[in-house]
Amino acid sequence: MTPKLKFLLPDVATANQVAGSLMLARIDNEDISFIAKPGTDFGQLQGVSIIESPKVVHDEENDGKGIWIGAVIGLLTGICIHYIDPGIASSMGIHWITVVAIASLIGAFAFAALFGVNFFGAEFKKYKSKIESGAILMIVTAPFQRANEIRLIVNKSYLKY
């Protein structure tokens, strides 16, 4: 497992300088991503992808509704499956309540993804206020053996600026 190192930088100019230093140290551009408040012009920098986006800035807009809606729809789907074809559970050798529970979990996860619930957003909450103030969060994914080297490069680059 490769660690994701997080660094809070004051602005885009500093982020550009630090990213340049990391690329000189042969850290791939694809392994460096940035999170900033919406509307920030990254220039040449790479923002986080939609898949890994923690939705730091607008996380309070979604308070878990997707999970609850999905669980209820999954529950209803599981009950419908049982009443439409009660032999499904017995053919799998499980109790019908297990089928309903599995359908509820699948529905919860599916609707959570559909509504954009972020399961990993808690670790980014500590950066939220700084990002809203204009700071840039840099996330570097690199081999474990290079973690200390990357920290040193970021500290040196940041201190020069």
Side-chain angles (χ1 to χ4, degrees):
M1 184 170 134
T2 57
K4 290 187 182 259
L5 305 170
K6 297 168 198 73
F7 304 96
L8 197 60
L9 304 171
D11 52 30
V12 175
T14 306
N16 271 310
Q17 182 186 13
V18 172
S21 298
L22 288 172
M23 284 188 268
L24 286 173
R26 298 191 183 268
I27 302 296
D28 290 334
N29 190 33
E30 295 84 33
D31 294 332
I32 307 168
S33 45
F34 298 88
I35 300 173
K37 66 181 178 180
T40 301
D41 181 22
F42 285 116
Q44 297 292 327
L45 301 177
Q46 174 182 317
V48 294
S49 69
I50 293 171
I51 294 171
E52 64 184 2
S53 174
K55 297 182 182 179
V56 176
V57 179
H58 296 292
D59 203 25
E60 72 275 354
E61 291 175 3
N62 191 340
D63 55 357
K65 292 177 194 157
I67 294 173
W68 290 109
I69 292 169
V72 169
I73 290 173
L75 176 71
L76 295 174
T77 302
I79 292 171
C80 287
I81 288 171
H82 171 66
Y83 285 109
I84 290 172
D85 188 5
I88 289 178
S90 61
S91 69
M92 290 189 279
I94 56 176
H95 197 273
W96 70 272
I97 293 177
T98 307
V99 172
V100 172
I102 291 170
S104 296
L105 286 173
I106 291 171
F109 284 114
F111 272 78
L114 182 68
F115 279 85
V117 174
N118 179 19
F119 294 107
F120 308 107
E123 69 177 282
F124 292 97
K125 291 221 188 253
K126 62 184 172 186
Y127 303 111
K128 183 179 176 180
S129 64
K130 299 278 188 186
I131 290 172
E132 287 175 341
S133 301
I136 310 289
L137 180 64
M138 179 175 68
I139 303 170
V140 181
T141 305
F144 181 76
Q145 301 86 344
R146 297 196 67 192
N148 284 334
E149 174 190 358
I150 291 168
R151 286 185 187 101
L152 288 172
I153 291 169
V154 171
N155 286 334
K156 286 180 184 177
S157 298
Y158 180 67
L159 292 176
K160 277 195 271 182
Y161 194 67

